Amino acid sequence: MSATTPLRATLIGVVLSATALIPLQGTASAAQNDTAGASVPPAASVAGIEDATALALAGSLADPAWQRQVRTAVLAADSVDLPALTGGSTTSRGKRLAAGVAAADRGVAAAKGLGGDIGSLLRVGLADPSMEARLAGGTTPWVAAAPSDDASTFTAYDSRGTAHELPVDAVPDRPVYLVDVDGAKAVTEGLKVVNEALEAKGLDVPVPAAGLSSSAYGAVAPTATTGIDTTLINSVRLSDVKEPGIKGDAEIFTLVTGFGKDGKPRVDTVEMPYLNKAATTYYPNQVLVNWSNYKYDMADAVMMEDDGDTNYQALAKSIVTILLTITDQGVYIPLADALLDAIPTSWWTDDPDYVDSWYTLAKSTKGTRNGAAANGWMNVSPYYVPAL
């Protein structure tokens, strides 16, 4: 096993603190002893926490009773809540692992810029469904952190703490548990963080209710009887979802940008939990643009994918900072490029990956529109939503 870096040593200490679960060798063992009681560093990455958790879980599987409990849970579901599994363990080894896993889970929430009250995020499951038969047959699995989309290999640990490098484009010969983040929950909670930041700066001001003065918002301000104009996604398909197959489903979301009725740039967030596989056509009938929110008959859409280390507080801050520098010049200005420029270049590795973008969508836009990056297409149509 390779030497342990200071950050990784600290992370290992977080997961193993007060548990003494794994008789690690060399520097990893020393790191465990030196960092007992440590807390998750504020700058700790999600990937680093997942890796340390995978190492701890792998070592804990040396206990046959705990290994059976984990195996039963994993075979019963595609993905298992890891803090709940360890916290509810009936084995001594599982109970001893629980405190470290809970600390790691809090560290993940902090690293992603999420609140501490969102519930657990860490999950564990098989890397591929084809491994079920071998796992059910009693083969002791290795454990790995979910790989980044840029990696060609990933590291899996056995119960002795030995690291094994595996290719991401092939199914391993033995069962492998993947420690990963609940991406759907992370996106849902993360976009709440973004929305709160936008609201605080007046960048997603809702259209006023009927009865307010229409002079400030134009003649198209909605009333109790008019309803709203929208753009509907009839179907959508992506060539690449920016997620390695062994990591599982992608977590896609879209940021719709334009100028609000008050003349300020605005961003509306759109969750797309169904859009999780490449080369697959989906038929969501989902509203993409609510035109009652916009001053001009033009909007842009930027589609992105949460790749694990996305920090939503940092994402929100970056978006808000650049949009506040843009003013309404009396004509439509595309905001997609400004939004993309707001994202730090370091985030284009294993963070919110750029998937594609669609420029100058209008209320009348219909038919199939290819993305600017040629990574996907959407078939859209105008859709009028009548008032009740």
Side-chain angles (χ1 to χ4, degrees), residues 4-380:
T4 306
T5 64
L7 173 58
R8 187 164 175 272
T10 303
L11 292 169
I12 291 171
V14 170
V15 178
L16 303 183
S17 174
T19 62
L21 294 180
I22 304 176
L24 299 179
Q25 303 169 3
T27 57
S29 180
Q32 175 184 335
N33 294 331
D34 291 344
T35 59
S39 60
V40 176
S45 70
V46 173
I49 296 171
E50 288 177 349
D51 184 70
T53 304
L55 178 58
L57 179 59
S60 73
L61 298 179
D63 173 31
W66 170 236
Q67 183 183 146
R68 286 194 298 271
Q69 186 178 353
V70 176
R71 179 172 63 238
T72 298
V74 169
L75 288 173
D78 292 336
S79 181
V80 179
D81 185 321
L82 185 56
L85 179 63
T86 57
S89 177
T90 57
T91 70
S92 59
R93 186 60 65 94
K95 292 177 180 177
R96 291 162 60 192
L97 184 62
V101 168
D105 196 66
R106 293 191 296 271
V108 167
K112 292 186 71 63
L114 304 175
D117 58 349
I118 66 170
S120 57
L121 288 170
L122 284 174
R123 314 285 295 183
V124 64
L126 278 173
D128 191 271
S130 65
M131 300 173 177
E132 290 181 358
R134 281 169 289 176
L135 180 64
T139 302
T140 300
W142 292 345
V143 187
S148 75
D149 65 338
D150 301 308
S152 59
T153 63
F154 66 105
T155 302
Y157 301 102
D158 62 27
S159 60
R160 296 172 60 87
T162 303
H164 305 268
E165 293 300 312
L166 303 173
V168 298
D169 58 355
V171 178
D173 293 333
R174 67 185 301 127
V176 175
Y177 292 155
L178 282 187
V179 174
D180 202 358
V181 170
D182 185 337
K185 178 186 286 188
V187 168
T188 297
E189 297 300 323
L191 292 184
K192 290 179 182 178
V193 171
V194 174
N195 289 334
E196 289 171 359
L198 294 170
E199 182 180 0
K201 296 298 183 179
L203 297 175
D204 69 342
V205 177
V207 173
L212 295 181
S213 171
S214 63
S215 59
Y217 288 87
V220 295
T223 68
T225 59
T226 59
I228 57 174
D229 289 306
T230 71
T231 291
L232 196 71
I233 303 174
N234 302 309
S235 55
V236 57
R237 184 182 179 95
L238 298 174
S239 300
D240 183 2
V241 293
K242 308 298 181 181
E243 193 83 304
I246 199 168
K247 193 173 180 178
D249 292 342
E251 289 81 36
I252 302 288
F253 60 94
T254 294
L255 305 176
V256 177
T257 67
F259 283 91
K261 298 291 187 180
D262 57 359
K264 292 182 180 179
R266 69 170 290 127
V267 177
D268 290 302
T269 59
V270 181
E271 292 184 58
M272 302 176 124
Y274 56 88
L275 189 53
N276 50 29
K277 299 292 185 186
T280 302
T281 302
Y282 296 90
Y283 302 88
N285 291 321
Q286 181 184 28
V287 171
L288 178 67
V289 187
N290 175 357
W291 290 105
S292 66
N293 289 330
Y294 293 89
K295 176 178 180 179
Y296 299 109
D297 187 17
M298 287 289 172
D300 303 329
V302 176
M303 189 178 289
M304 309 194 77
E305 199 272 334
D306 180 334
D307 249 348
D309 274 331
T310 307
N311 185 308
Y312 287 94
Q313 286 184 357
L315 177 62
K317 182 179 179 180
S318 298
I319 292 173
V320 166
T321 298
I322 198 164
L323 290 186
L324 287 175
T325 68
I326 301 172
T327 58
D328 182 8
Q329 302 297 316
V331 294
Y332 173 72
I333 302 172
L335 298 178
D337 289 343
L339 189 149
L340 291 173
D341 288 342
I343 299 173
T345 55
S346 62
W347 288 18
W348 297 94
T349 52
D350 197 34
D351 225 296
D353 277 336
Y354 171 62
V355 176
D356 215 327
S357 52
W358 286 261
Y359 292 82
T360 60
L361 295 169
K363 282 196 293 186
S364 61
T365 300
K366 62 180 178 180
T368 299
R369 290 282 303 269
N370 293 319
N375 186 41
W377 54 260
M378 288 193 293
N379 183 280
V380 299

